[in-house]
Amino acid sequence: AQTVTQSQPEMSVQEAETVTLSCTYDTSESDYYLFWYKQPPSRQMILVIRQEAYKQQNATENRFSVNFQKAAKSFSLKISDSQLGDAAMYFCAYIPYSGGGADGLTFGKGTHLIIQP
Amino acid sequence: GAVVSQHPSRVICKSGTSVKIECRSLDFQATTMFWYRQFPKKSLMLMATSNEGSKATYEQGVEKDKFLINHASLTLSTLTVTSAHPEDSSFYICSATQQGAAYQPQHFGDGTRLSIL
């Protein structure tokens, strides 16, 4: 069974600074997808960024980028120029490619990101 | 596009009653829907996967007689918490996707906060 581990229960960063959230995972699959989701106090699940395991290039979405290390099974999220609106819980998630959409997401325990003004 | 509506957003009821939560895909056909449960300050845990027209697949440890799932159409799945008790109080979130050969994203509803008195 796959597992996703987020070892940082809480992180704090000054506004406009850069912060990196860590995530490691364990799977026996060779093809899979990894995600970072943001959950603000409203509890909505917002997709931040997605990475396909077969792609070597790290995904980037504006101020958000990932460092995907497949051999190390590591998938960290870097948030540049942190903004107050970035404050939220961040969940790392995994899904195998083989399911064709039939599999649910496996989530890490989350990291609570605090932005200091 | 790809909107998932979940209703109700909040429900408070007495112990012993049954509660039905609806998850609707508004602008696409959801061949697969997922139900997650989230305890306060915890991660999302997959409860079950439902495919249109077939029985739901429950994750280990989830009581299928307690959490009844019906996916009668391509746009609607329901989760009924039967004879609810205080320990069933939680945040329940659904997501919906279209199965396919290629990756299909999961679209989340806004969640239902269930409180059993």
Side-chain angles (χ1 to χ4, degrees):
Chain A
Q2 52 269 10
T3 58
V4 177
T5 302
Q6 292 178 251
S7 58
Q8 306 155 315
E10 186 174 281
M11 291 284 284
S12 181
V13 64
Q14 290 288 129
E15 193 176 2
E17 296 292 307
T18 295
V19 64
T20 299
L21 308 184
S22 301
C23 173
T24 58
Y25 59 93
D26 190 24
T27 181
S28 58
E29 302 280 343
S30 57
D31 290 325
Y32 47 87
Y33 296 93
L34 295 165
F35 309 85
W36 279 98
Y37 280 90
K38 171 184 177 181
Q39 188 181 43
S42 65
R43 307 292 288 270
Q44 281 183 302
M45 293 298 289
I46 302 167
L47 178 63
V48 175
I49 201 165
R50 181 185 90 217
Q51 175 79 43
E52 291 90 339
Y54 62 87
K55 289 186 178 179
Q56 293 188 341
Q57 187 172 11
N58 289 323
T60 300
E61 287 288 341
N62 300 315
R63 298 183 294 108
F64 300 87
S65 62
V66 298
N67 183 1
F68 173 50
Q69 302 289 328
K70 191 173 183 179
K73 295 182 179 173
S74 170
F75 182 61
S76 61
L77 174 70
K78 185 171 82 171
I79 305 174
S80 304
D81 185 26
S82 298
Q83 300 175 1
L84 293 177
D86 295 332
M89 283 293 291
Y90 285 81
F91 292 99
C92 180
Y94 163 99
I95 195 169
Y97 178 83
S98 57
D103 296 282
L105 290 156
T106 299
F107 287 92
K109 290 186 176 181
T111 297
H112 181 210
L113 179 63
I114 298 168
I115 311 295
Q116 306 275 7
Chain B
V3 177
V4 174
S5 173
Q6 190 171 338
H7 179 80
S9 59
R10 176 142 196 185
V11 59
I12 302 172
C13 60
K14 293 181 179 179
S15 183
T17 58
S18 293
V19 179
K20 180 184 283 188
I21 303 169
E22 293 186 347
C23 181
R24 294 182 184 272
S25 57
L26 298 185
D27 50 4
F28 68 101
Q29 293 187 326
T31 48
T32 304
M33 288 185 171
F34 304 92
W35 288 95
Y36 297 86
R37 182 174 182 175
Q38 186 178 29
F39 289 105
K41 298 185 179 180
K42 298 291 185 182
S43 186
L44 282 77
M45 299 297 294
L46 180 66
M47 297 175 66
T49 302
S50 73
N51 293 294
E52 184 265 338
S54 61
K55 287 185 178 180
T57 302
Y58 290 82
E59 295 299 301
Q60 193 173 10
V62 178
E63 299 175 60
K64 56 184 68 177
D65 294 331
K66 159 69 79 174
F67 300 100
L68 300 179
I69 292 172
N70 183 277
H71 192 164
S73 77
L74 285 171
T75 59
L76 174 65
S77 176
T78 60
L79 166 67
T80 301
V81 184
T82 61
S83 186
H85 292 284
E87 59 266 27
D88 299 322
S89 298
S90 191
F91 191 68
Y92 295 87
I93 311 176
C94 72
S95 71
T97 188
Q98 293 177 292
Q99 277 199 47
Y103 165 76
Q104 298 292 332
Q106 290 189 23
H107 305 286
F108 283 87
D110 287 344
T112 297
R113 188 185 305 274
L114 175 62
S115 299
I116 309 298
L117 305 178

